[in-house]
Amino acid sequence: MRKNIVTSLAILLAGSTAALAQSASDGKVKIGILNDQSGVYADFGGKSSVEAAKMAIEDFGGKVLDVPVELVDADHQNKPDIASNIARQWYDTEQVDAIMELTTSSVALAVQALSKEKKKINMVTGAATTDLTGKQCSPYGFHWAYDTHALAVGTGGALVKQGGDSWFFLTADYAFGYSLEEQTGTFVKSAGGNVVGAVRHPLATNDFSSFLLQAQSSGAKVIGLANAGLDTANAIKQAAEFGITAGGQNLAALLFTLAEVHGLGVEAAQGLTLTEGYYWNLDDQSREFGKRFFERTGKMPNMVHAGTYSSVMQYLKAIEKAGTDETEAVAKALHEMPVDDFFARNGKVGANGRMIHDMYLLQVKKPGESDEPWDYFSVLSTIPGDEAYIDPAKSGCELVK
C-alpha cells in the first residue's frame, strides 16, 4: 500500500511538473509597447503601433497557453533614461514579459541592455541601428522591421546607380543618425562614390537653414538625410524653400515611410526614392491587413506598424511552441521558427537576433498617378533579405559562432 501511495505521488508530481512546463508565469502573458507617442516619431510609430499590437493579440485569440494576453504602453519621449525607468518598473513590479517597438536607437540600445540584464525578451521594430544585432546584441534581443544597413543598400544603392556619386549628410545627432550615415557612406564608397562632408543636427530641429546651407555649398550631388519622422519632413520642406532640388542637387530620404509621405503631401514628396520593409498596396495579403488597420486608425500602416503586429504575433507563436513564457525557451523558439506572414515572406531569424526578410525600393508617385487614397508608391524593386541585411557571421555579434 505504501508503495502504491509513493507511486501515486510520483505520478502526481510528474503531472504537476508537466503542467507547470505548459504554463505561463503569473497566470498571464504581458507585453509592453514602449515608443514615442508625442514627439517627432509619433506618426512613424506612436499610438498606431499600440493599435497594431492589439490587433495581433486579438487575432491570436486573446490568450496563449490558456492564460490572457495583456498589453501596456508608454511614451518614452525619445529619452533613454525615461525609457529605462519605465522598462525597469515594468519588469520589476508589473510582471511585463517582453517589451517591443522601441522607436529611437538610443532608447532601444538602453532597453535592450536592461532586458539582457533582467533576462527578458525585447523585440525592436521602430529603431534602426545595426548595433542592436552587432556589438551590442543580446541572446534575448530581436530586431524585426528594418535597419540602417537595409536602408543604405536600398536607397543609397539606387541613387549611386543613377549617378549620385557624391554625398553630403544631414545627420540626426544620436546613435541612429550616426549608424545610418556610416552604413550609407560605406555603401556609397564601395560603389565608387565619395562622401564630401556631413553636419549633425539635434533631434526635433525646427530650423534647418544653417545645415542646409552647408549641404548646398558642398556641391554634392546627393544630400543624404540621415534622420527620420518630422525631422526629415521639415528638412525636405525647407530644402524646397532654399531651391536646393531646383538647383540640381538630389535629396535622399534615408528613413522615410508612408506615414511621413502622407504628412508631407505627395506634391512635396513626389519623386523621392525610399526603402521600406512593407507596403500596404503590395499584394492581397498586404492590402487585407492595411484595410483592417485603416478601419481602426484612419490611416494606412507603414513598416513599423506592420512590423509591430508581426513581432507580437511571432512572440505569441513562440510561447505556444515552447509551451511556456520562460525567456530562454521562448528565445530559442524565436530563433528556430520561420517568419511567414503578410509582413515577411520566408523570413528567418539569424543567430544575432536579426530577422532577415525582403525589403522594397519605392518611389513616391506624382500627383494624379495614384489609383486610390494612400496609394503613394511605385515599387521599383525587391531587395532580397540576404542582400539587404548584414550576414550575422559578419555582424560583430559575440553570439554568432
Side-chain angles (χ1 to χ4, degrees):
M1 188 172 185
R2 183 179 299 164
K3 183 178 179 181
N4 289 339
I5 292 171
V6 171
T7 302
S8 298
L9 283 172
I11 292 170
L12 285 171
L13 286 171
S16 299
T17 303
L20 185 61
Q22 296 291 320
S23 66
S25 60
D26 309 310
K28 62 181 178 293
V29 169
K30 198 168 184 179
I31 298 169
I33 301 296
L34 185 57
N35 61 3
D36 176 12
Q37 299 180 6
S38 58
V40 293
Y41 303 139
D43 289 335
F44 180 75
K47 283 291 189 179
S48 295
S49 288
V50 178
E51 201 62 33
K54 289 179 182 177
M55 289 176 68
I57 293 169
E58 290 168 13
D59 288 350
F60 196 82
K63 288 185 175 183
V64 62
L65 305 182
D66 293 325
V67 300
V69 180
E70 297 181 6
L71 185 73
V72 292
D73 69 272
D75 182 356
H76 60 48
Q77 303 172 48
N78 295 308
K79 296 177 180 178
D81 57 338
I82 291 176
S84 295
N85 287 337
I86 293 170
R88 189 177 296 278
Q89 179 179 333
W90 279 357
Y91 286 150
D92 290 349
T93 66
E94 297 186 30
Q95 294 81 50
V96 169
D97 298 292
I99 296 178
M100 303 187 189
E101 218 269 42
L102 294 168
T103 312
T104 314
S105 291
S106 53
V107 163
L109 289 167
V111 173
Q112 179 157 293
L114 177 65
S115 301
K116 182 178 180 181
E117 173 194 327
K118 298 288 185 179
K119 293 188 176 181
K120 297 284 189 176
I121 299 286
N122 70 276
M123 302 179 75
V124 178
T125 55
T129 179
T130 53
D131 283 351
L132 287 161
T133 51
K135 61 185 179 182
Q136 297 190 48
C137 67
S138 163
Y140 318 119
F142 299 86
H143 202 178
W144 217 250
Y146 72 104
D147 64 22
T148 51
H149 187 271
L151 301 177
V153 170
T155 309
L159 290 173
V160 172
K161 287 178 183 177
Q162 294 170 14
D165 56 5
S166 61
W167 286 61
F168 184 96
F169 288 97
L170 204 68
T171 303
D173 192 12
Y174 73 104
F176 152 69
Y178 312 151
S179 181
L180 186 51
E181 178 190 322
E182 179 187 5
Q183 295 281 347
T184 308
T186 298
F187 194 83
V188 167
K189 292 172 186 175
S190 69
N194 183 37
V195 176
V196 301
V199 64
R200 291 174 174 174
H201 68 82
L203 183 66
T205 296
N206 292 318
D207 184 3
F208 282 89
S209 56
S210 64
F211 309 117
L212 287 167
L213 285 171
Q214 291 181 63
Q216 189 175 37
S217 64
S218 74
K221 293 179 183 177
V222 179
I223 299 171
L225 302 176
N227 49 23
L230 288 177
D231 280 342
T232 304
N234 286 334
I236 292 171
K237 287 179 186 176
Q238 291 172 38
E241 294 169 6
F242 278 92
I244 287 177
T245 51
Q249 289 174 294
N250 292 316
L251 297 178
L254 297 170
L255 178 50
F256 208 53
T257 74
L258 186 78
E260 289 76 52
V261 171
H262 183 74
L264 186 60
V266 176
E267 184 72 37
Q270 61 181 307
L272 280 174
T273 302
L274 56 100
T275 304
E276 281 217 57
Y278 164 87
Y279 178 41
W280 76 269
N281 210 12
L282 182 70
D283 58 22
D284 289 342
Q285 274 186 285
S286 302
R287 280 188 285 273
E288 190 274 335
F289 174 75
K291 290 177 179 179
R292 287 202 299 129
F293 185 87
F294 183 85
E295 289 172 1
R296 298 174 68 126
T297 65
K299 63 176 73 173
M300 285 296 182
N302 63 12
M303 65 178 170
V304 177
H305 307 138
T308 299
Y309 177 103
S310 176
S311 62
V312 171
M313 180 64 74
Q314 194 75 357
Y315 174 66
L316 295 176
K317 288 179 180 178
I319 291 174
E320 187 174 62
K321 181 180 187 299
T324 175
D325 65 350
E326 190 273 325
T327 298
E328 298 282 356
V330 175
K332 183 175 184 293
L334 284 168
H335 278 286
E336 293 174 347
M337 294 166 58
V339 185
D340 193 5
D341 56 23
F342 71 88
F343 176 76
R345 320 299 160 78
N346 301 313
K348 58 186 178 183
V349 176
N352 60 346
R354 171 71 259 172
M355 199 273 278
I356 298 168
H357 62 103
D358 293 349
M359 299 288 288
Y360 305 99
L361 184 65
L362 309 168
Q363 188 168 52
V364 180
K365 293 181 176 181
K366 295 177 182 178
E369 290 183 345
S370 298
D371 295 327
E372 57 185 305
W374 291 87
D375 176 37
Y376 296 151
F377 297 148
S378 297
V379 180
L380 301 181
S381 64
T382 299
I383 307 163
D386 288 333
E387 293 179 18
Y389 295 102
I390 299 171
D391 181 344
K394 299 177 182 178
S395 65
C397 174
E398 64 181 7
L399 301 173
V400 183
K401 298 178 182 179

